[in-house]
Amino acid sequence: AGGRREREEREEVEDAEAAEQLAAAEQLLSRLLDGWKWARAWLRRVDSAFDSLNNSVNTENRKWDAQQMSCRVLAHTPSVFQKGCIAFRDVVLLRTGCRARKVQNAVMLLARNDDLDLSDASLDVLMAVQNMLDQLDCQDDLTGGCKVRGQSKLRKLFLQPLKQLASERCFEGRTGKVRMFGGEMDLMYGPGSEGED
């Protein structure tokens, strides 16, 4: 009986710690979302004030893309709004590795929980963060010879792990096999597919 009581107390402590971590993650992501909300609203106002510049950028991108299509080199000059998204992504989200990992851990902590286990507020935060990450997935400004590759960092740290997690969850619930054809290989995925041809 004593071991059972200790185990129950340990589980209660672990549950309390997990709840604290979840609340801290939700608070961090809520602050990030508030910052993005204000930045996005400001960017939309600035973007609308520079319609002629955005039209010139679109015209130049189409011209450049048409000229370089045979070389498979696509120039990309971002619009005013896209440039603001790039700045927010690179300065607020990815500025330091420590900050990026802290945000990544918070996102993954929420995402790893089953949707039914999350509160409505936590689920709303998670969905809003995923939406924000999709909006920040802008192609880098390659016109200035800049070596910063914020889009690839964003995808590596946030978008790919979220997609992988969603894919794993999809396969967890399957009882059958899924056959995927690709190139020279015929791969079997799903429960019971190990070692089978």
Side-chain angles (χ1 to χ4, degrees):
R4 183 173 164 192
R5 171 172 266 175
E6 287 176 12
R7 185 175 56 233
E8 288 174 357
E9 289 174 359
R10 192 172 353 120
E11 287 175 0
E12 287 176 15
V13 169
E14 289 173 359
D15 288 345
E17 288 174 356
E20 284 178 21
Q21 290 175 349
L22 196 61
E26 187 178 329
Q27 181 182 19
L28 171 70
L29 295 175
S30 293
R31 287 194 339 243
L32 180 65
L33 287 169
D34 287 342
W36 173 239
K37 175 184 164 187
W38 290 107
R40 186 181 61 217
W42 180 79
L43 284 171
R44 292 207 189 280
R45 277 187 257 136
V46 171
D47 186 59
S48 65
F50 290 97
D51 280 338
S52 61
L53 176 61
N54 286 328
N55 290 335
S56 297
V57 165
N58 287 334
T59 302
E60 186 62 29
N61 280 339
R62 281 195 301 274
K63 241 192 287 185
W64 185 264
D65 292 348
Q67 290 172 357
Q68 299 296 325
M69 191 58 84
S70 62
C71 299
R72 303 242 188 248
V73 175
L74 298 177
H76 178 73
T77 303
S79 68
V80 173
F81 182 78
Q82 289 171 335
K83 190 67 174 173
C85 290
I86 291 167
F88 185 89
R89 176 189 70 204
D90 293 347
V91 173
V92 175
L93 199 58
L94 303 174
R95 180 72 174 204
T96 64
C98 180
R99 182 185 307 162
R101 281 188 299 279
K102 189 174 183 178
V103 174
Q104 179 193 34
N105 290 339
V107 170
M108 294 309 291
L109 181 65
L110 281 179
R112 282 192 181 105
N113 281 296
D114 192 281
D115 291 344
L116 296 175
D117 292 339
L118 290 174
S119 68
D120 289 344
S122 295
L123 190 57
D124 289 344
V125 167
L126 179 60
M127 293 173 68
V129 166
Q130 289 174 331
N131 186 32
M132 178 194 69
L133 292 172
D134 288 337
Q135 291 174 10
L136 296 177
D137 188 23
C138 297
Q139 186 175 350
D140 293 308
D141 183 0
L142 304 177
T143 57
C146 184
K147 303 236 187 261
V148 175
R149 297 291 183 246
Q151 185 182 31
S152 61
K153 288 180 184 177
L154 179 83
R155 289 179 175 179
K156 181 180 177 182
L157 290 174
F158 297 101
L159 297 175
Q160 289 173 347
L162 286 172
K163 286 180 183 177
Q164 182 178 358
L165 184 62
S167 179
E168 289 171 1
R169 282 192 177 159
C170 179
F171 283 116
E172 279 178 4
R174 291 190 169 273
T175 56
K177 296 179 189 175
V178 175
R179 184 176 292 264
M180 298 183 75
F181 300 94
E184 301 170 17
M185 303 176 76
D186 178 5
L187 302 173
M188 297 284 287
Y189 291 95
S193 64
E194 295 80 27
E196 296 181 10
D197 291 325

